[in-house]
Amino acid sequence: IVIDSQHFHTSSNNYENSYIRSWLNNDFYDSAFNIEEKLNIEMTTVDNSLASTGRETNPYICNDTEDNVFLLSYVEANDESYGLNTTASRLLGPSDYAKSQGVIMNENKSNWWLRTPHFSLAYSGFNVYEGMFNADFVDYTSIGVVPALWISL
């Protein structure tokens, strides 16, 4: 589910230094989870390497990050083991909150950010109109957020 609508950053396609990464690991993390839940969320080394982009070259990759909450990469958003290997599986609906924040919708499905950089000042995301897309601007506030995290049970 698309839980919110946020901008990626004001001008950069660098996930390591992005607004959305900070928002996920501070504002969202602190408000969405109580102390007990936070104890079960694993700190994750997030792969931001070339391999995570699904491309042969990409000058905009960044360092790996250590995060409690993160966005999926292009490769993860197409991974059968995550249940995301078909276009239909990636068509996600927005929460009521995301709708109230102005998330873009088409037939009650929403666009959502990925952390994978593209070859411009943009990030790839999932577009309900055409599948994977390149956002024109990382400062769009109408793109959805689909947080990812690992928990220990």
Side-chain angles (χ1 to χ4, degrees):
I1 188 166
V2 174
I3 58 108
D4 201 346
S5 180
Q6 294 285 328
H7 72 282
F8 192 89
H9 201 59
T10 54
S11 63
S12 171
N13 66 345
N14 181 305
Y15 182 70
E16 180 182 15
N17 300 315
S18 68
Y19 165 81
I20 202 161
R21 177 175 173 250
S22 176
W23 178 82
L24 284 167
N25 285 282
N26 294 294
D27 299 346
F28 174 72
Y29 180 74
D30 288 338
S31 63
F33 304 104
N34 65 36
I35 293 170
E36 185 176 316
E37 291 166 335
K38 288 178 184 178
L39 292 173
N40 292 316
I41 297 173
E42 296 180 10
M43 180 64 71
T44 302
T45 300
V46 177
D47 178 8
N48 296 311
S49 70
L50 180 62
S52 74
T53 71
R55 301 182 185 274
E56 293 182 22
T57 62
N58 193 317
Y60 299 103
I61 59 172
C62 65
N63 295 316
D64 290 350
T65 54
E66 296 288 324
D67 298 317
N68 290 305
V69 185
F70 52 94
L71 297 178
L72 295 176
S73 71
Y74 175 86
V75 169
E76 291 164 337
N78 286 279
D79 191 323
E80 184 176 4
S81 65
Y82 295 139
L84 297 171
N85 58 319
T86 66
T87 298
S89 66
R90 293 184 296 264
L91 290 173
L92 303 178
S95 66
D96 288 340
Y97 182 77
K99 289 177 189 178
S100 76
Q101 296 302 303
V103 72
I104 293 174
M105 291 184 296
N106 181 26
E107 296 180 13
N108 206 35
K109 303 297 180 190
S110 297
N111 299 343
W112 45 282
W113 290 115
L114 298 176
R115 70 175 186 269
T116 301
H118 200 266
F119 293 96
S120 63
L121 290 180
Y123 260 76
S124 297
F126 185 74
N127 183 312
V128 297
Y129 305 102
E130 301 172 11
M132 304 309 288
F133 80 110
N134 304 320
D136 293 328
F137 300 101
V138 291
D139 62 351
Y140 280 4
T141 59
S142 56
I143 307 297
V145 179
V146 179
L149 54 94
W150 289 103
I151 59 170
S152 57
L153 299 175

